[in-house]
């Protein structure tokens, strides 16, 4: 069963401007060290950050909260499998929220997809509950 769906569209140029203006202050507030290492290795650093920004926004929407009620940016982070497939991880308050919204006898699975086409970055998150 579907527990939540979230989507977000981020402007890569806007994220690039924020990175230029606030630098590490922005990066350290919003992105985990793993996300930062990934983005800094990429040719289009701003697009990588923008996709992860959009993924965090989309995840918070799928959790039914948006970025409020105690959820923190770093409570959600994206890594990639060797195949390149993005994987959403939740910790802290986001993990607690996910646990509360998951019915007994079910396991929550978070699906995430990312794409960009300059100047836009898009993410979609679907949270599914699967029976044990």
């Amino acid at each position: 069963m579907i527990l939540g769906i979230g989507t977000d569209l981020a402007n890569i140029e806007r994220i690039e401007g924020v990175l230029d203006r606030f630098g590490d202050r922005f990066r350290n507030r919003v992105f985990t060290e793993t996300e930062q290492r990934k983005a800094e290795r990429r040719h289009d650093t701003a697009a990588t950050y923008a996709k992860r920004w959009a993924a965090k926004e989309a995840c918070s929407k799928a959790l039914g909260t948006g970025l409020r009620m105690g959820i923190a940016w770093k409570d959600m982070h994206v890594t990639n499998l060797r195949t390149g497939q993005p994987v959403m991880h939740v910790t802290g308050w986001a993990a607690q929220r996910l646990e509360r919204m998951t019915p007994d006898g079910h396991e929550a699975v978070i699906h995430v997809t990312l794409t960009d086409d300059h100047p836009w970055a898009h993410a979609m998150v679907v949270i599914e509950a699967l029976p044990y």
Side-chain angles (χ1 to χ4, degrees), residues 9 19 25 34 55 79 83 86 90 98 117:
L9 186 66
L19 287 164
R25 190 169 144 213
T34 301
T79 62
T83 60
V90 293
L98 181 61
D117 186 9

Side-chain angles (χ1 to χ4, degrees), residues 57-78:
E57 287 273 8
C59 185
S60 70
K61 293 171 185 175
L63 289 168
T65 64
L67 285 161
R68 58 185 176 88
M69 297 174 57
I71 199 166
W73 285 104
K74 288 185 179 180
D75 284 349
M76 303 161 288
H77 68 277
V78 177

Side-chain angles (χ1 to χ4, degrees), residues 89-110:
H89 305 272
V90 293
T91 58
W93 193 92
Q96 293 170 12
R97 169 71 179 158
L98 181 61
E99 185 178 331
R100 283 194 306 275
M101 63 190 285
T102 304
D104 290 340
H106 290 75
E107 175 185 12
V109 177
I110 303 174

Side-chain angles (χ1 to χ4, degrees), residues 16-74:
E16 187 172 37
V18 173
L19 287 164
D20 289 345
R21 184 170 179 199
F22 297 104
D24 286 343
R25 190 169 144 213
F26 171 68
R27 277 188 282 275
N28 293 333
R29 179 174 168 252
V30 176
F31 302 101
T32 64
E33 289 181 24
T34 301
E35 290 173 314
Q36 290 180 47
R37 280 193 305 273
K38 171 83 171 179
E40 297 300 324
R41 285 193 317 259
R42 302 295 299 250
H43 169 70
D44 195 345
T45 302
T48 303
Y49 279 122
K51 285 185 282 191
R52 278 149 179 74
W53 171 280
K56 292 166 186 268
E57 287 273 8
C59 185
S60 70
K61 293 171 185 175
L63 289 168
T65 64
L67 285 161
R68 58 185 176 88
M69 297 174 57
I71 199 166
W73 285 104
K74 288 185 179 180

